[in-house]
Amino acid sequence: NNLKQMDRSQRSFLLMLVGIFAVMAVASVVVMLVAASASQPSPQPSSSAHLSASEVQERFISELNASAIREDLRYLSSHAHIAGEYTPRNYETAVWVKERFSSMGFKTWMEEFEVLLSYPVSSSLSIVEGRADGYQGLQRAETPIEGDATSSEFVPIFNGYSASGSAVGKLAYVNYCRKEDFDEVAIPAGSVCICRYGKIYRGDKARAAEKNGCTGLLLLSDPADTLSAEQRQEREDAPPSSTFPSPMEVERYPLSGALPLGGIQRGSLLIPNGDPLTPEWGATANEQRLDIDDEYVKDALPSIPVRPISALNALPLMAAMDGPVAPSHWQGGLNITYRLVSTQLKVNFTVEMDNRITKIWNVMAEMEGYLQPDRYVILGNHRDAWDFGAADPSSGTATMLEVARSISKLYQSGWRPARTLLFGSWDAEEYGLTGSTEYCELHREVLKERAVVYLNVDVAADGSEGADVSSTPSLNDVIRRVSEGVPSAVEGVSFLDLWRTTMNASEPKVKNLGSGSDFSGFFQHLGIPSADLAYSKYGSYPTYHSIYESFDWMTQYGDPGFRRHRSIGALWGAVALSFADAHVVPLNYTSTAMELKSEAEKVREMMASPNSAYTSVSTSPLVSAVDEFVRAVQCFDEEKERRMNEVRSTSGAVAGVRQAYAEREYSDRLERAERAFCDDKGVPGREWYKHLIYAPSALNHYAGGAFPSIVDTFLSNGTESVLQTEVYRIARVIRRASDVMCTNLRQD
C-alpha cells in the first residue's frame, strides 16, 4: 500500500536502489567464487587436482611405454608415404593418426591445403664422349635386402623441385658444393657437377651450383659420410695412429647401421618455406596463387636438373675423370683418387619432373585448458616421408602419439591442463616445411595472440647416443630443469647428464635454431618461443631418406629397445606440461640477454677489425639497445618478484583474483617479448623470416645464427649504408622487446 502511495519518481528511485543492491550481491558472489578458484594453484575437478608439478611429471613419464611406440612405428613405416596425393598411404596415415588421437579423447580435426609439390617422371645420364667402364646408366631403384620387410617396395629416386631439362657437359667434382668450395677451385662453366651430400642443405648446394656455372648437379651419398654411429664413434675414440678399413670396405646394412653402397638420399631443393605459389598466405582451395613464371616462384625453384646418385652408381663415372687431383681435404670414401674435372668424359644428364598442385592434410588434436583455454602449448611433428620414414619422421610421430596417450591417462584420472594442449601432425614438411608453414600463415593472428610455445620433434631417435637440444634461449632454463628428472636410454643416467656429456659442459646451453623442420614458421615467421628436440649425437644418420630407413633398421640399429624414443618423449611431454600448468610461463630472458650481449660484442669486434670494410659503421645503437634489454630483463624479474610477494601477502575475497591477474599479465609479457624481435618487413632478400635476431644462414638453411641481416650483408659484400640500416633495425626490435619486458624502463 505504501508503494502505491508513492509518486512515480519515488517508485523509480526505490526500484533502482533495489536493482543496484541486487547487482552488487551477485557481483560479490562472483568475486568470491573467482577468488576461491584463482587462489588454488591447480583447481582441478578431482582429487588429482592437488598433484604437484613434479608428481604430474613423474606420473606422465611412468606411463610412457616403449613397446607402444614400437607398435605405432611398425604401422607408420610399413609403406612409403610421400606427401600429397602421390601415394595413397599418405592420406591413409593422416586418417589413422586422427583416429588414434580421437580414441584417446582429444578433439580432432583435419585442415586441408592445396600446394605445389613435385614428383618424378623420368631421369637419365648417358655418355656422349669418352667411356666409363662398368657404368650402365642411372639406377632406377635401391636393391632389396633380405630380412628388411619393406625394401622390396619401389620408391622413386628424385630430388623434389628439380628443374626439368637436359644438361650436356663434362663432369666436374666440387666437394660439398659450398661457397667456400667454389671459391677454392674454379669449375669450368657448363660442367655437369657432382658433389657430396652433407655439411649444408641440398637446396643451397643446387643454388650454389647454378650460380657458379654448373648446368646440372648429381648429389652423391659418399661412403665416408654414411658410416654408422658406432663406426663414427670408434674412429673418434681411437688414437691418431689407428688404422681402419676404408669406407668402401666397412660392414653396411644389414650387417651394421651404415648405408649400403647402393643407397640414395632423396630430398627437396626448395629454398623458401611453404607453398611457393602462396607466399605468406595460407594455401586454401580458393586462394590467390602466383603464376609459375612469377619471379618469386622462379627464384624459389632450381633452374638446373638435379638428382641423387649412390656411391656404386657414381663410382665408374668418377673413376673415369682424368683431370687435376682434387685437394686432399676434398678426397672422399670411394676407393679412387677424386679429381676435379674430366677432360674426356662428356655426359647428357636429363630430368623430367611433374610439378602439380595437390592436396595435403594437417591433423590437429586439442585438449582444452580449464583455466586459460585461449593459451596454446603446441607440440608438433610432421607425418610425410620420402620413403618409409622409420626415423624421419615416424620415430617422432610414434613418440608424439605415446606422449598424447600418457597425457590422456592423466586426464582420465582427473587432471586437467591449465592451458590448452594442441598437437599438430604436419604434412609435406619434406618438401619445404609446407604443412606447418601454411598453418602458421593461415592462422597468423590467432597464433601470435594465443600461442605460448611450440615444441618440435622431427627425428626422435637415429641410432646415436646423445642429446640434441635447440631452442630460443628463453627456454634454456626450463629444458635444463626438466631434463634433470627425465631418464635417458642409459640406465641410471638422466637426460641432463647425457646433454652434459654431448655438449662437454656442466651447464649445457641450447643450440640456435636454424631451419629444416617445422619450428621455423612458429619461431622465425611469427616469433613464438620454440624448441627442437632429438635423441641424437651427430644430428644426422646414414640411412637418411633412403629405403633402408626402415622399421627393421630401427629395431636393429636405430633404437632396438625404443628407450631413446621413450626418453625424448619424456622430455618433450614434460616440458609441455611445465608450460601447460605453470602459474607464470617458464620463459627466462636472462639467457637471451646474455646471448644478445655476446653476439653484439662479436659484431662490434668485426666492425672494428683492421681488415673490415665497414669501419665507419657505428655499432653503438646495437650495443646500447642490448644493454637496455639486459636492464629490462632485470627490471622485469625484480618487478615480478616484488608484486607477486605483495599479492600473496594480501588476504580477503579479491586476493586470489589479484594473483590470477598478475600471473596472467607476466605470462603475457613473457610470451610477447619474443614477438617483439620480429619486424613485418623481415630479413632483406628473405622477407618471410620476420625474426631479426635469429634466422637460418643464407648459405645453409640448416644452420642458425644471430643477426641474420648483418651476416647476410657481410657475405654479400653489401654497402656500409645498408649495413648501418640493419644495425638500426635490429636495435629497434630489441628496444621494443625491452618495452614489453619492463614498460617503465625509460621513466626510471
Side-chain angles (χ1 to χ4, degrees):
N1 292 335
N2 291 336
L3 185 59
K4 290 179 181 179
Q5 294 173 4
M6 293 181 182
D7 60 28
R8 179 176 297 178
S9 62
Q10 289 175 318
R11 288 198 301 271
S12 298
F13 179 71
L14 180 59
L15 290 171
M16 181 182 71
L17 286 177
V18 171
I20 289 173
F21 283 118
V23 169
M24 291 177 64
V26 171
S28 298
V29 172
V30 170
V31 167
M32 286 187 290
L33 289 173
V34 171
S37 174
S39 64
Q40 295 297 320
S42 299
Q44 312 282 12
S46 81
S47 58
S48 71
H50 305 294
L51 290 175
S52 67
S54 60
E55 288 172 327
V56 170
Q57 178 174 320
E58 288 170 7
R59 288 196 181 188
F60 161 74
I61 293 174
S62 67
E63 179 62 33
L64 292 171
N65 188 320
S67 297
I69 299 173
R70 176 191 174 102
E71 291 312 303
D72 280 343
L73 183 63
R74 184 193 301 275
Y75 171 83
L76 289 162
S77 59
S78 59
H79 292 281
H81 45 290
I82 299 170
E85 299 172 282
Y86 187 76
T87 51
R89 187 66 166 198
N90 185 50
Y91 180 72
E92 293 169 6
T93 304
V95 172
W96 184 84
V97 168
K98 180 177 180 293
E99 290 174 349
R100 291 281 285 112
F101 276 120
S102 295
S103 70
M104 302 170 197
F106 287 86
K107 175 185 175 183
T108 61
W109 66 96
M110 293 173 68
E111 297 195 3
E112 182 178 286
F113 297 95
E114 297 184 6
V115 301
L116 183 74
L117 299 186
S118 175
Y119 303 112
V121 176
S122 64
S123 60
S124 64
L125 188 146
S126 58
I127 295 174
V128 176
E129 295 177 7
R131 57 182 295 173
D133 293 339
Y135 177 71
Q136 297 179 346
L138 290 178
Q139 73 184 86
R140 300 299 171 194
E142 292 157 288
T143 304
I145 285 181
E146 185 177 354
D148 188 294
T150 53
S151 62
S152 59
E153 181 178 326
F154 174 74
V155 181
I157 296 169
F158 70 107
N159 283 120
Y161 299 110
S162 166
S164 293
S166 295
V168 179
K170 293 182 178 178
L171 286 177
Y173 169 63
V174 283
N175 200 23
Y176 289 104
C177 263
R178 299 168 296 182
K179 179 181 183 296
E180 56 262 42
D181 296 326
F182 285 104
D183 288 345
E184 182 176 359
V185 174
I187 300 300
S191 298
V192 174
C193 294
I194 184 168
C195 75
R196 297 158 68 175
Y197 268 122
K199 306 296 185 183
I200 65 173
Y201 169 56
R202 71 186 76 78
D204 293 313
K205 295 175 186 286
R207 175 157 290 190
E210 59 186 70
K211 181 179 179 181
N212 286 277
C214 299
T215 57
L217 180 64
L218 295 164
L219 294 172
L220 168 66
S221 296
D222 192 281
D225 302 320
T226 57
L227 300 177
S228 70
E230 291 79 9
Q231 291 162 349
R232 292 178 68 173
Q233 188 69 56
E234 184 181 14
R235 283 160 170 73
E236 289 177 6
D237 294 343
S241 59
S242 302
T243 58
F244 296 95
S246 75
M248 289 284 285
E249 296 164 350
V250 300
E251 290 186 336
R252 291 180 175 271
Y253 185 63
L255 300 178
S256 80
L259 180 72
L261 296 175
I264 285 177
Q265 180 193 136
R266 298 155 183 81
S268 177
L269 305 169
L270 186 68
I271 292 295
N273 294 339
D275 174 32
L277 303 184
T278 58
E280 299 205 30
W281 64 88
T284 51
N286 298 315
E287 256 293 2
Q288 175 189 7
R289 282 173 170 76
L290 301 180
D291 188 81
I292 196 71
D293 293 325
D294 186 273
E295 286 302 315
Y296 174 87
V297 181
K298 289 165 66 175
D299 185 62
L301 307 179
S303 61
I304 61 175
V306 184
R307 187 189 188 273
I309 190 169
S310 72
L312 286 181
N313 206 188
L315 181 58
L317 295 171
M318 295 186 68
M321 295 173 68
D322 57 354
V325 174
S328 59
H329 57 281
W330 284 31
Q331 298 297 316
L334 296 173
N335 286 342
I336 59 170
T337 298
Y338 285 47
R339 297 180 179 273
L340 295 174
V341 295
S342 168
T343 64
Q344 304 294 324
L345 189 65
K346 188 175 184 178
V347 300
N348 184 336
F349 172 44
T350 301
V351 171
E352 184 180 356
M353 299 294 293
D354 174 18
N355 291 350
R356 67 175 94 145
I357 295 175
T358 184
K359 294 177 181 178
I360 63 170
W361 304 272
N362 292 337
V363 176
M364 309 304 298
E366 178 188 87
M367 179 180 288
E368 187 175 81
Y370 77 95
L371 192 59
Q372 297 183 29
D374 63 332
R375 288 296 181 262
Y376 305 151
V377 175
I378 309 173
L379 300 85
N381 157 268
H382 75 94
R383 192 184 59 257
D384 65 299
W386 288 113
D387 39 72
F388 310 108
D392 181 12
S394 298
S395 66
T397 310
T399 302
M400 181 168 69
L401 290 171
E402 182 59 11
V403 168
R405 190 193 66 80
S406 184
I407 290 175
S408 74
K409 290 293 185 181
L410 280 171
Y411 188 93
Q412 291 167 21
S413 72
W415 168 89
R416 300 290 183 270
R419 299 177 181 88
T420 293
L421 289 168
L422 184 64
F423 291 82
S425 174
W426 317 117
D427 200 355
E429 184 271 357
E430 295 292 2
Y431 275 87
L433 319 183
T434 308
S436 60
T437 297
E438 299 312 311
Y439 180 83
C440 287
E441 292 175 349
L442 181 65
H443 302 294
R444 179 194 321 269
E445 298 307 318
V446 172
L447 291 170
K448 286 168 68 174
E449 175 64 27
R450 299 182 178 184
V452 175
V453 69
Y454 176 74
L455 305 171
N456 191 71
V457 170
D458 193 323
V459 179
D462 66 6
S464 61
E465 193 66 35
D468 190 357
V469 182
S470 302
S471 80
T472 47
S474 57
L475 270 75
N476 191 83
D477 287 359
V478 64
I479 294 175
R480 196 157 56 197
R481 173 177 56 77
V482 168
S483 66
E484 190 170 13
V486 170
S488 75
V490 180
E491 191 69 36
V493 176
S494 72
F495 193 92
L496 177 59
D497 289 333
L498 177 70
W499 190 10
R500 285 170 172 152
T501 301
T502 305
M503 302 299 293
N504 193 25
S506 59
E507 295 295 328
K509 294 198 302 182
V510 296
K511 297 188 294 186
N512 286 336
L513 289 165
S515 188
S517 197
D518 292 300
F519 54 80
S520 191
F522 293 90
F523 173 46
Q524 292 146 349
H525 190 61
L526 300 182
I528 296 165
S530 299
D532 189 44
L533 311 172
Y535 202 107
S536 173
K537 179 177 182 178
Y538 300 110
S540 64
Y541 56 99
T543 58
Y544 178 61
H545 290 183
S546 75
I547 67 164
Y548 308 113
E549 186 186 342
S550 63
F551 181 75
D552 289 311
W553 178 86
M554 180 62 75
T555 56
Q556 292 178 64
Y557 301 107
D559 188 15
F562 284 75
R563 292 168 63 93
R564 292 166 179 157
H565 286 76
R566 186 181 185 278
S567 177
I568 205 68
L571 179 66
W572 194 7
V575 173
L577 291 171
S578 293
F579 275 95
D581 277 349
H583 288 240
V584 177
V585 296
L587 295 168
N588 187 336
Y589 283 89
T590 300
S591 294
T592 306
M594 295 303 101
E595 284 293 311
L596 286 176
K597 199 166 182 65
S598 173
E599 295 296 337
E601 179 60 22
K602 290 177 186 177
V603 170
R604 191 195 66 77
E605 290 175 356
M606 282 195 300
M607 303 291 192
S609 168
N611 299 323
S612 171
Y614 302 99
T615 53
S616 67
V617 174
S618 171
T619 58
S620 295
L622 176 61
V623 172
S624 64
V626 170
D627 288 342
E628 185 176 309
F629 185 75
V630 171
R631 295 196 303 274
V633 172
Q634 294 171 342
C635 165
F636 174 88
D637 291 341
E638 292 168 1
E639 177 196 323
K640 178 168 74 73
E641 182 178 7
R642 181 176 63 252
R643 185 173 169 194
M644 295 308 299
N645 285 338
E646 290 173 358
V647 167
R648 293 187 188 107
S649 66
T650 60
S651 59
V654 298
V657 175
R658 289 185 63 195
Q659 180 175 339
Y661 272 110
E663 291 169 353
R664 177 67 178 248
E665 176 195 341
Y666 290 120
S667 292
D668 285 351
R669 283 161 64 178
L670 288 166
E671 294 161 23
R672 290 168 183 165
E674 196 73 47
R675 316 271 206 281
F677 290 133
C678 293
D679 184 274
D680 286 343
K681 293 182 179 179
V683 177
R686 301 187 288 149
E687 287 78 11
W688 185 87
Y689 294 102
K690 308 299 184 186
H691 205 294
L692 297 192
I693 308 302
Y694 294 108
S697 164
L699 299 181
N700 176 18
H701 282 71
Y702 284 155
F707 307 144
S709 59
I710 290 178
V711 174
D712 287 357
T713 306
F714 269 101
L715 293 174
S716 64
N717 298 315
T719 66
E720 289 189 332
S721 174
V722 169
L723 188 57
Q724 187 68 74
T725 296
E726 293 311 308
V727 168
Y728 277 116
R729 289 184 70 216
I730 293 168
R732 280 196 292 273
V733 298
I734 294 173
R735 284 198 165 92
R736 290 172 195 162
S738 296
D739 273 345
V740 173
M741 293 296 291
C742 193
T743 54
N744 297 321
L745 184 65
R746 294 196 183 96
Q747 300 173 20
D748 291 342

